[in-house]
Amino acid sequence: MSNYHIKHLEEYFQVYRKSVRDPEAFWEEIAEEHFVWRKKWDQVLKWDFKKPEVKWFDGARLNITENCIDRHIPTRGEKTAIIFEPNDPSEEPQHITYRELHEKVCRMANVLKEHGIKKGDRVCIYLPMIPELAISLLACARIGAIHSVVFAGFSSNALSTRINDSDCKMVLTSDGSYRGSKTIDLKGIVDKALEACPGVKTVLVAKRINSKIKMLKGRDKWLQPLLDHAYADCVAEIMEAEDPLFILYTSGSTGKPKGMVHTTAGYMIYTAYTFKNIFQYRENDIYWCTADIGWITGHSYIVYGPLANGATTVMFEGVPSYPDYGRFWEVVEKHKVTQFYTAPTAIRALAKENLEFVEQYDLSSLKVLGSVGEPINEEAWHWYNNNVGKKKSPIVDTWWQTETGGIMISPIPYVTPTTPTYATLPFIGIQPALMDENGQEIMGNQVDGRLCIKFPWPSIARTIWGDHKRYRDTYFSAYEDKYFTGDGALRDAVGYYRITGRVDDVIIVSGHNLGTAPIEDSINEHPAVAESAIVGFPHDIKGNALYGYVILKETGESRDRDNLRKEINQQITEHIGPIARLDKIQFVSGLPKTRSGKIMRRILRKIASKDTANLGDTSTLLNPEVVKEIMDNAL
Ligand code: PRX
């Protein structure tokens, strides 16, 4: 029997050793015993981090939806697969059984096919957190189409860039979305985006808010009538193990977003196996991850990982503050949630509110609490532990990335003793390395360095859509034969890892990855702006907030500064989305630059963080005089 479900620490160490000594034998056993295949593989693993190339289970054939849905029907047909909890608590939740999910996914898959979508085609999904979102991912997977979900908080500009980058033929959206007390005109955003996307032939529109929207003849269709008329069964397309399952965009430190490509078999196995262990999922548990499916957390741990285990997964449409700050806890009580997975930024926001919001609900169903997306600070960790977990539910601080597909470093609850702010031990099969500035691996404990992974794991992204060179340059060129994460980390005396944060120009704001370059590009397009630089600074709730230093053109000098600030933020909202707005904008006459013309962000970060006692070495600056000016006028 393979070690699919780890239950104590000794077993973790034993299984970990096995997974590292002979990864192929280890993953082969997991694949054999816990998944259904149309054809077995020819080779478990083929890899070369130089090219780079990674293939898991090459030659195998399968369909992920047969693993996530069909195979559960004989034993779990009437079990709830998805609980949909609407934005407004007075609207009834929906319970979708595995049998119903099968029918819904098949109908949607047939609608896609009727509209010309074939294996390998890209479909953009721009939907709010309604059941159609999960169903459309699975419908794409059913017929071998590659889904590209764009978080429905991104602007029309960001949407069109993503649609065009991967040549999507179709967009799935809704008439609008609810977000707390607000509604958002999603279809309007899609219409604007599509002005720049000639490749999109069809837009299928789910009805959610019953708003009056424009439908473009020949292109736009209401989804529901099509679903009602579609066949309720759809034969699954047989896919190769390494066929792409989806593209998901993530910010880079430079230029346009990177379309990370995840493939079928390895992704399925790793998300399923991590889900089972890191949430200690047991039959009849009710698992809830509060993320949006627009992010990797939602793909892996709302949809694929839970469903591959035949779990019940909650999809929440709303926000933690509506109708009040007790909303999360009301949902936990209502559905008797057993595993709850959220982001530190949400915990910090809730911790600021009255404790009564938590205390008025019965949270005794909870067994495991999760955290993801950014380092969880000690205060937030204790608040979560004391008030939500009542010191009984272990917290799993899960470190991973869009690129890794699944959780990489994390405690296993009831197995790994936890320490606040530590993601603790590498998960089974994961071989981390800390690197020094000279490219050498730092051995031993009580050390810190740059976090790399030495050996492929099944759900590593295989490439960047359309740009394999960028994939190599970004992840495999900094350190030879290693995947570089972009994060710094320390390893303590017992070998626990603590992630210290990004070491590149990505800033994590409220758990969202933001690259500085696209934001700077957006600011620089303002007619009054000559140049700009963005850095992060600590923020009570968001973790980091954005601080912009902006040089005006001569023609902009006479403009009112507050109006300019508003215009700059408006422009960022249009180009990227409201999540990238700047908290502070300081107008400066110059930016500190090295002789080679590089902005010295380290200094700007220190000024933004009010940590100017020691600015470090400034001897290579071309224009040291500007530093004093910036410090004197800092916000
Ligand atoms: O810096 C790390 C941080 O989030 C980055 C990945 O962001 P993204 O691709 O959007 O995926 C987020 C959800 C998996 C990482 O490089 N990060 C994520 N989880 C943690 C974290 N930092 C510290 N602790 C974590 N648990």
Side-chain angles (χ1 to χ4, degrees):
M1 267 296 281
S2 68
N3 306 88
Y4 193 70
H5 188 180
I6 295 158
K7 299 194 190 68
H8 52 85
L9 194 59
E10 234 352 272
E11 191 184 3
Y12 160 80
F13 284 116
Q14 178 230 322
V15 178
Y16 181 79
R17 276 194 298 271
K18 189 166 147 189
S19 74
V20 168
R21 276 194 200 134
D22 192 350
E24 297 180 40
F26 174 77
W27 289 112
E28 180 161 43
E29 218 174 275
I30 298 279
E32 285 267 6
E33 291 180 19
H34 301 280
F35 300 90
V36 294
W37 304 90
R38 290 299 186 110
K39 175 184 171 286
K40 293 280 169 70
W41 41 94
D42 303 322
Q43 194 176 348
V44 176
L45 173 63
K46 192 171 157 205
W47 70 289
D48 176 355
F49 273 175
K50 285 200 173 54
K51 279 185 177 172
E53 177 189 73
V54 177
K55 288 183 173 179
W56 281 95
F57 303 101
D58 206 22
R61 298 214 176 116
L62 73 155
N63 186 289
I64 195 168
T65 66
E66 291 190 332
N67 281 277
C68 288
I69 309 171
D70 302 48
R71 67 156 155 163
H72 303 311
I73 291 179
T75 51
R76 300 182 175 111
E78 310 319 315
K79 176 176 174 176
T80 300
I82 296 175
I83 298 176
F84 169 61
E85 173 63 34
N87 176 65
D88 184 340
S90 64
E91 192 183 328
E92 276 298 301
Q94 284 177 37
H95 288 73
I96 302 171
T97 65
Y98 273 92
R99 195 182 304 284
E100 289 164 342
L101 183 63
H102 183 266
E103 180 180 328
K104 286 175 190 289
V105 167
C106 287
R107 283 180 189 272
M108 180 84 88
N110 285 325
V111 169
L112 298 181
K113 281 212 281 200
E114 280 160 26
H115 288 82
I117 301 299
K118 300 180 303 298
K119 178 177 175 182
D121 287 345
R122 274 79 61 205
V123 174
C124 173
I125 301 172
Y126 187 73
L127 277 167
M129 282 287 282
I130 56 177
E132 286 86 341
L133 173 55
I135 291 164
S136 59
L137 265 68
L138 296 160
C140 286
R142 187 78 175 173
I143 62 169
I146 303 169
H147 56 75
S148 169
V149 183
V150 177
F151 169 61
F154 274 117
S155 69
S156 56
N157 217 292
L159 176 59
S160 64
T161 308
R162 287 159 176 76
I163 290 173
N164 287 333
D165 183 72
S166 49
D167 261 325
C168 294
K169 273 177 129 171
M170 179 189 271
V171 178
L172 292 168
T173 188
S174 66
D175 56 349
S177 64
Y178 293 118
R179 200 175 158 72
S181 56
K182 288 191 245 160
T183 56
I184 298 166
D185 174 21
L186 286 194
K187 177 62 167 53
I189 297 172
V190 170
D191 287 342
K192 190 144 182 273
L194 293 190
E195 287 170 14
C197 304
V200 173
K201 303 295 177 224
T202 315
V203 178
L204 302 181
V205 187
K207 198 168 250 184
R208 178 58 184 139
I209 65 168
N210 286 311
S211 62
K212 256 194 131 37
I213 56 166
K214 279 201 224 112
M215 297 290 274
L216 187 69
K217 227 175 154 215
R219 188 194 70 183
D220 303 351
K221 292 182 181 168
W222 289 106
L223 185 58
Q224 196 56 49
L226 298 171
L227 293 172
D228 292 342
H229 287 104
Y231 282 119
D233 200 1
C234 172
V235 175
E237 185 79 30
I238 306 306
M239 307 298 288
E240 296 288 329
E242 282 298 334
D243 276 339
L245 174 65
F246 65 85
I247 301 168
L248 185 60
Y249 286 88
T250 186
S251 309
S253 48
T254 54
K256 63 176 188 174
K258 299 172 289 194
M260 304 313 305
V261 177
H262 282 283
T263 58
T264 308
Y267 175 81
M268 170 181 80
I269 290 167
Y270 194 75
T271 53
Y273 185 52
T274 44
F275 174 78
K276 176 76 186 170
N277 286 292
I278 293 169
F279 300 104
Q280 288 287 306
Y281 185 84
R282 286 167 200 258
E283 200 67 44
N284 304 325
D285 281 352
I286 307 287
Y287 162 87
W288 179 23
C289 165
T290 70
D292 192 291
I293 292 176
W295 310 111
I296 191 70
T297 307
H299 281 58
S300 302
Y301 298 111
I302 295 178
V303 182
Y304 290 111
L307 297 180
N309 283 285
T312 301
T313 174
V314 177
M315 256 186 95
F316 176 52
E317 185 187 29
V319 292
S321 54
Y322 177 82
D324 62 40
Y325 289 96
R327 180 66 162 132
F328 272 0
W329 322 123
E330 185 239 343
V331 176
V332 168
E333 178 183 293
K334 188 189 316 178
H335 297 297
K336 301 199 168 36
V337 169
T338 42
Q339 289 89 353
F340 176 76
Y341 192 28
T342 197
T345 185
I347 298 167
R348 288 191 296 264
L350 296 175
K352 275 193 129 52
E353 303 301 324
N354 198 321
L355 255 188
E356 272 177 28
F357 284 118
V358 194
E359 286 170 349
Q360 62 184 294
Y361 295 104
D362 175 9
L363 305 183
S364 59
S365 56
L366 287 171
K367 296 191 290 189
V368 178
L369 304 179
S371 169
V372 60
E374 57 182 314
I376 177 164
N377 51 307
E378 198 145 352
E379 224 183 321
W381 195 99
H382 286 298
W383 187 87
Y384 201 23
N385 185 40
N386 295 341
N387 301 301
V388 182
K390 322 283 182 202
K391 298 188 181 158
K392 289 195 317 255
S393 298
I395 295 177
V396 289
D397 177 358
T398 64
W399 172 83
W400 59 297
Q401 310 178 295
T402 305
E403 295 86 337
T404 69
I407 297 169
M408 302 287 281
I409 302 182
S410 169
I412 297 177
Y414 302 100
V415 171
T416 320
T418 58
T419 303
T421 77
Y422 281 77
T424 74
L425 296 171
F427 189 69
I428 305 300
I430 304 306
Q431 304 187 33
L434 295 179
M435 309 300 291
D436 69 16
E437 275 164 19
N438 305 316
Q440 297 303 310
E441 182 172 351
I442 310 167
M443 307 308 282
N445 287 347
Q446 282 185 301
V447 291
D448 68 277
R450 297 184 167 210
L451 180 61
C452 285
I453 313 290
K454 293 195 269 197
F455 194 86
W457 61 100
S459 65
I460 182 175
R462 306 297 198 256
T463 190
I464 292 174
W465 184 263
D467 198 349
H468 198 64
K469 180 175 179 300
R470 187 174 181 200
Y471 175 68
R472 180 173 57 234
D473 292 350
T474 312
Y475 303 107
F476 298 91
S477 64
Y479 304 99
E480 206 182 346
D481 280 330
K482 288 181 185 66
Y483 165 83
F484 176 44
T485 64
D487 283 325
L490 63 82
R491 189 164 52 222
D492 76 359
V494 296
Y496 274 15
Y497 287 84
R498 176 187 190 170
I499 312 303
T500 47
R502 302 291 310 184
V503 294
D504 56 9
D505 291 333
V506 170
I507 305 169
I508 304 196
V509 178
S510 300
H512 301 314
N513 265 13
L514 297 172
T516 51
I519 303 174
E520 288 164 4
D521 290 348
S522 167
I523 299 172
N524 298 348
E525 274 181 37
H526 190 285
V529 171
E531 199 184 348
S532 61
I534 304 295
V535 295
F537 70 99
H539 184 279
D540 273 2
I541 292 177
K542 300 181 192 181
N544 295 297
L546 299 179
Y547 193 120
Y549 298 90
V550 174
I551 306 176
L552 292 175
K553 287 181 184 157
E554 240 178 77
T555 49
E557 285 295 348
S558 57
R559 297 277 320 271
D560 176 75
R561 298 296 191 263
D562 281 339
N563 279 342
L564 275 175
R565 287 190 177 97
K566 279 191 199 128
E567 288 174 21
I568 288 171
N569 266 332
Q570 185 54 30
Q571 188 148 309
I572 294 173
T573 305
E574 280 164 23
H575 284 174
I576 301 165
I579 50 179
R581 290 168 71 93
L582 310 182
D583 272 41
K584 293 183 181 175
I585 300 178
Q586 181 180 353
F587 295 99
V588 296
S589 69
L591 294 166
K593 287 191 179 169
T594 62
R595 281 171 222 287
S596 58
K598 232 176 135 226
I599 297 172
M600 216 186 248
R601 287 174 197 274
R602 179 171 53 81
I603 293 179
L604 296 177
R605 268 196 289 271
K606 284 200 171 235
I607 296 174
S609 311
K610 302 196 185 328
D611 170 25
T612 48
N614 176 11
L615 285 181
D617 182 11
T618 54
S619 62
T620 56
L621 277 182
L622 190 66
N623 51 350
E625 69 290 347
V626 82
V627 175
K628 185 170 179 328
E629 175 215 299
I630 298 178
M631 272 170 56
D632 288 347
N633 299 304
L635 301 171

